[in-house]
Every structure is written in structure tokens, then in C-alpha cells.
Amino acid sequence: PLRSAFKQAPLCMLRVIALTMTGSVLYYLGFIYLPEYLSLSHFLSRNEALSFQSYCLTAMLILVPLGGWVCDRIGRRRAYLLMTASCLIGSVPIFWLLQQKSLGAIVFALILLILISSLEQGTTSATVVEQFPTSLRYSGISPSYNITQAIFGGTAPATALFLMSFFN
């Protein structure tokens, strides 16, 4: 089946890679790197930073289905463009808020992050599945999605750490 996916649907696989790049970087930065960043760079302890992460992930249990609902209401393309624009526009204020030594600023940044991430997950999940015919769906999505997660998401925390050490 994997060979069939590469032969019959290479453009679909490339679309899945493109669709999942932004979300993988967002998720890995927000939920893998961010607790470490908060505990090393701010007045939060590691346990407090991990607690905030747990609260965010718990809130996403409700918000991701709402992101999917928004996607269904306004359309996949508009929802994805909204999410991508939110990532691009929101990343600077979010990181600026995270650098403030204020618990309120950090909480507000985390709220913005989970709203954007929830819209991304609610949108991308449905959009990715629709890229393939049913017969190639599993064998097409699996390598495309997982390779993207490994390359873009997996390297995002290390890249962020490098950039932080380089610019500080």
C-alpha cells in the first residue's frame, strides 16, 4: 500500500506535508519547548510550567472540537488561512508576552496559543483525511504526516533553544 501511495498520490502526500508543517511546529514549540522555556527563563518553577501545560492540554479537549466546528462552518480553506495568519501574526505578541515577568501575561499568551493550536488541530485533521481516496488514505497519510512531524515538529524545540542561546 505504501508503494501505491507514492505512485498514485504523490501530490496528495506533498499537500499533507504542507498542511501539517505549521501545526507541527506550533504544537512542539507550544507544548514541548514552552514548559522548559518558562521554567528556565522566568520566575515559574518546572512544576508550575508543567501544570500550565496540563491546563492548556485539558482546555484543548474542548477547544479542538470547537476548532473543527469552526472549520465546518466557514470552510476548510478559510479556517486554515485563519489559523496560518493567526500563527504568523500572533507569534510575535505571544513570545513578547511570554518574556514579561507577569503571570497574567503568560496566561494570556497561553490562551492565545491554545486557541490557535485548537483551530489548527480541528482544521488539519479533517483536511488531511480528505486529501486521499479511501483506498490510499492510511498508507498516504501515515508517512506524510509522520515525516513532517519528525522533521519540522521534532526539530522545532532544538531550533528554538539554539536561537534563544544565539540571541541572548
Side-chain angles (χ1 to χ4, degrees):
L2 185 59
R3 192 177 349 219
S4 296
F6 277 103
K7 278 179 139 180
Q8 296 175 23
L11 292 178
C12 296
M13 294 176 83
L14 288 174
R15 272 196 303 270
V16 168
I17 289 169
L19 287 167
T20 56
M21 282 192 302
T22 304
S24 65
V25 171
L26 176 66
Y27 186 84
Y28 277 78
L29 279 180
F31 300 106
I32 304 299
Y33 175 71
L34 194 57
E36 188 68 20
Y37 172 77
L38 289 173
S39 66
L40 291 177
S41 303
H42 291 78
F43 61 93
L44 295 179
S45 71
R46 186 165 181 73
N47 286 339
E48 290 170 326
L50 290 172
S51 292
F52 278 118
Q53 178 190 39
S54 296
Y55 301 142
C56 289
L57 292 171
T58 302
M60 287 179 69
L61 289 171
I62 297 165
L63 294 172
V64 169
L66 288 176
W69 178 80
V70 168
C71 176
D72 288 342
R73 299 287 291 172
I74 68 172
R76 308 267 187 263
R77 184 178 179 86
R78 283 186 183 156
Y80 193 81
L81 291 173
L82 175 64
M83 179 277 300
T84 304
S86 298
C87 282
L88 292 173
I89 294 167
S91 60
V92 172
I94 287 171
F95 277 100
W96 180 81
L97 287 166
L98 291 170
Q99 292 177 359
Q100 308 308 304
K101 301 242 186 233
S102 160
L103 187 59
I106 291 170
V107 168
F108 186 61
L110 292 174
I111 289 169
L112 292 174
L113 177 70
I114 64 171
L115 289 173
I116 295 169
S117 185
S118 296
L119 179 61
E120 182 276 326
Q121 289 183 28
T123 301
T124 303
S125 301
T127 308
V128 162
V129 170
E130 294 173 342
Q131 299 305 307
F132 292 92
T134 307
S135 62
L136 298 173
R137 196 162 283 162
Y138 287 119
S139 54
I141 292 172
S142 181
S144 308
Y145 180 83
N146 289 308
I147 288 169
T148 305
Q149 292 295 321
I151 292 172
F152 293 96
T155 60
T159 303
L161 190 59
F162 169 77
L163 290 173
M164 290 297 292
S165 66
F166 183 77
F167 288 109
N168 280 337

